[in-house]
Amino acid sequence: RGNDIHHACAGWEHGFKIDFIKQPAQPLDLNNLELCLFYSMDAQASIIKGDGSSKEELIAAVLQQFEEYDPDKLIRAEALLHEIYRCILRCDGSNDFKIPHSRITSRQLHGEDPVDLLVSGYDRLTGEMARDALEHGVPVEYPE
């Protein structure tokens, strides 16, 4: 970003060493902020904006909404992310899938762990084969 160097230089003046690491872009399907937080806060935009009379009011409203944000929604977003990882494995690494209905909220409401970490042997094998094919530049041949 334009002012990263400015921030780094300001840190060096005070004895800090700041290294900026570029994070690779992630598709929206794999971004927890997009899956959950931004969408939920966007739904609250009219409350957050208020009357728009001052920057301080806006900052206070954003902080209040953040503090009031239901942490269970973040847990559900993490659970959904694992469901999406499995879909990507099943689709040979593509994003040509519909986000699944996976009973995440139901599991959470019944006291079960909403995050299902199970990956079937087939999904794992096809994922490993796709990874190896990408690393070696060869077409993937999947088992039946």
Side-chain angles (χ1 to χ4, degrees), residues 8 19 80 130:
D19 291 321
L80 181 58

Side-chain angles (χ1 to χ4, degrees), residues 29-42:
D29 293 341
L30 300 177
N31 185 325
N32 257 350
L33 293 175
E34 291 290 341
L35 278 174
C36 184
L37 185 64
F38 294 157
Y39 177 78
S40 295
M41 289 188 82
D42 189 45

Side-chain angles (χ1 to χ4, degrees), residues 2-131:
N3 58 358
D4 287 348
I5 296 298
H6 172 73
H7 291 297
C9 291
W12 290 330
E13 289 175 6
H14 299 287
F16 299 107
K17 181 178 184 307
I18 301 172
D19 291 321
F20 290 97
I21 300 170
K22 287 195 175 200
Q23 208 173 354
Q26 290 187 331
L28 297 181
D29 293 341
L30 300 177
N31 185 325
N32 257 350
L33 293 175
E34 291 290 341
L35 278 174
C36 184
L37 185 64
F38 294 157
Y39 177 78
S40 295
M41 289 188 82
D42 189 45
Q44 299 292 322
S46 61
I47 296 169
I48 292 171
K49 287 178 191 172
D51 64 7
S53 61
S54 73
K55 185 168 87 172
E56 289 76 22
E57 279 186 26
L58 178 62
I59 291 170
V62 169
L63 291 174
Q64 180 181 351
Q65 287 297 313
F66 184 79
E67 289 296 323
E68 293 174 0
Y69 194 79
D70 181 3
D72 286 342
K73 288 182 181 181
L74 294 175
I75 293 169
R76 289 192 295 271
E78 183 69 22
L80 181 58
L81 190 60
H82 285 277
E83 295 291 335
I84 290 170
Y85 288 151
R86 280 190 285 277
C87 288
I88 291 170
L89 286 173
R90 290 182 198 122
C91 293
D92 302 329
S94 81
N95 64 351
D96 188 24
F97 60 88
K98 292 188 188 293
I99 294 179
H101 295 282
S102 53
R103 301 185 45 251
I104 292 169
T105 302
S106 175
R107 287 196 304 264
Q108 192 176 42
L109 291 174
H110 288 93
E112 301 171 30
D113 188 353
V115 181
D116 180 4
L117 298 174
L118 177 68
V119 175
S120 73
Y122 180 81
D123 289 344
R124 179 179 173 163
L125 178 63
T126 56
E128 288 173 352
M129 291 173 72
R131 179 204 60 213

Side-chain angles (χ1 to χ4, degrees), residues 129-130 132-134 136-142:
M129 291 173 72
D132 293 344
L134 284 171
H136 303 293
V138 296
V140 182
E141 294 191 25
Y142 297 103

